[in-house]
Amino acid sequence: MLLENMTNHEYRNAMFLYSCALKSIITKLETINEEFALTTKKNPIESIKGRLKSVHSIAAKLKRRGYEPTFENALAFLDDLAGARVICSFVPDIYKIAEIITAHSDITVLRVKDYIKNAKPNGYRSYHMLLEIPVCLSTEIKPTKVELQIRTIAMDFWATLEHKIRYKFEKSVPDSLNNDLLECANIVAALDTKMYDLNKQIETYTQ
Ligand code: 0O2
């Protein structure tokens, strides 16, 4: 079915499994965070957000990749119909969360893209995991894909602004802006390192 012909009701029904999978991963992440708060008095997670990809955004991504904007193609070719984003204070927390999620026996990690160790050429940094989460229906279990992005507050600040700029200028972001963005990305990386060191120092004082 062409995405532009879908009613809201049809879109919501079609996204039902993704919506369930999203709730499930968010609950798991909240549980991990609350457990850490209880046992270590530290929260590795600052915030958790979830979103179902909008019809508009699905159609745009399919067109960008040269596919007809149908819901069938979205199911076949897009892995981020359901997406969760976790914001941490410090880089090591990102890897800690990723490790815990990987160890969950009901979750399958289909793919990892570590844009922290290997930043994108434009400076984008974030840790991406493509997960498969079981959605338990009344008579069957449906493994469902969710894209999990884990990043620091500083990386998120950068990515949000970069996204806004890219959206505003579409494909023709001026070189000067791209250069400034790359410079900011490097500052963000240095800031993340510095803030983590600072936090370690604070911890030694308070112990
Ligand atoms: P939205 O609106 O956030 O959903 P692709 O690169 O999209 O062809 P894939 O495998 O989905 O293929 O890419 P990847 O690298 O895993 O990145 C997917 C998502 O990561 C993007 O989704 C963005 O949310 C985020 N992302 C990746 N690169 C950048 C970047 O350079 N800047 C910013 N701000 N975000 C990025 P969508 O669908 O592009 O967008």
Side-chain angles (χ1 to χ4, degrees):
M1 175 186 268
L2 271 177
L3 287 156
E4 65 195 34
N5 294 340
M6 270 179 121
T7 62
N8 264 349
H9 182 70
E10 284 168 335
Y11 167 76
R12 267 207 310 276
N13 280 353
M15 295 293 272
F16 171 67
L17 283 179
Y18 292 98
S19 149
C20 297
L22 202 50
K23 277 188 224 158
S24 169
I25 186 70
I26 289 174
T27 304
K28 280 178 185 293
L29 291 160
E30 284 170 350
T31 306
I32 295 166
N33 206 32
E34 282 168 30
E35 184 195 347
F36 269 95
L38 275 176
T39 55
T40 67
K41 299 205 165 47
K42 279 186 277 187
N43 294 63
I45 298 176
E46 288 295 328
S47 70
I48 306 165
K49 280 184 219 149
R51 68 104 181 91
L52 292 176
K53 208 168 181 71
S54 68
V55 174
H56 173 79
S57 182
I58 296 172
K61 194 161 185 172
L62 283 173
K63 282 183 196 161
R64 253 194 338 262
R65 292 187 173 182
Y67 297 114
E68 204 189 357
T70 63
F71 197 76
E72 292 72 24
N73 279 345
L75 293 177
F77 301 116
L78 300 190
D79 291 328
D80 64 342
L81 295 183
R85 189 171 288 157
V86 170
I87 309 297
C88 299
S89 293
F90 306 108
V91 175
D93 292 334
I94 295 175
Y95 290 101
K96 197 187 299 164
I97 300 296
E99 195 184 309
I100 295 168
I101 288 295
T102 305
H104 275 235
S105 57
D106 57 340
I107 291 182
T108 306
V109 179
L110 299 176
R111 192 177 66 212
V112 166
K113 288 187 190 171
D114 188 344
Y115 294 125
I116 299 173
K117 291 206 170 85
N118 302 297
K120 281 197 167 183
N122 65 351
Y124 176 76
R125 289 161 72 246
S126 196
Y127 192 88
H128 291 192
M129 302 174 85
L130 180 61
L131 308 174
E132 197 165 61
I133 297 178
V135 175
C136 301
L137 300 176
S138 55
T139 57
E140 60 184 327
I141 297 174
K142 291 270 198 189
T144 305
K145 286 177 189 165
V146 177
E147 187 194 64
L148 178 62
Q149 299 182 350
I150 320 176
R151 47 172 85 146
T152 62
I153 301 168
M155 290 175 198
D156 191 52
F157 184 31
W158 183 93
T160 306
L161 187 65
E162 192 268 354
H163 188 270
K164 220 186 277 176
I165 291 171
R166 206 157 23 96
Y167 189 78
K168 200 165 177 73
F169 288 89
E170 294 185 346
K171 277 182 190 136
S172 52
V173 181
D175 281 351
S176 62
L177 266 183
N178 278 327
N179 292 340
D180 283 351
L181 277 169
L182 188 56
E183 193 188 331
C184 286
N186 293 332
I187 294 170
V188 159
L191 179 68
D192 272 335
T193 306
K194 192 105 186 148
M195 294 294 262
Y196 178 62
D197 288 346
L198 199 58
N199 191 55
K200 273 200 299 199
Q201 286 181 48
I202 295 166
E203 282 181 352
T204 52
Y205 280 116
T206 49
Q207 264 158 20

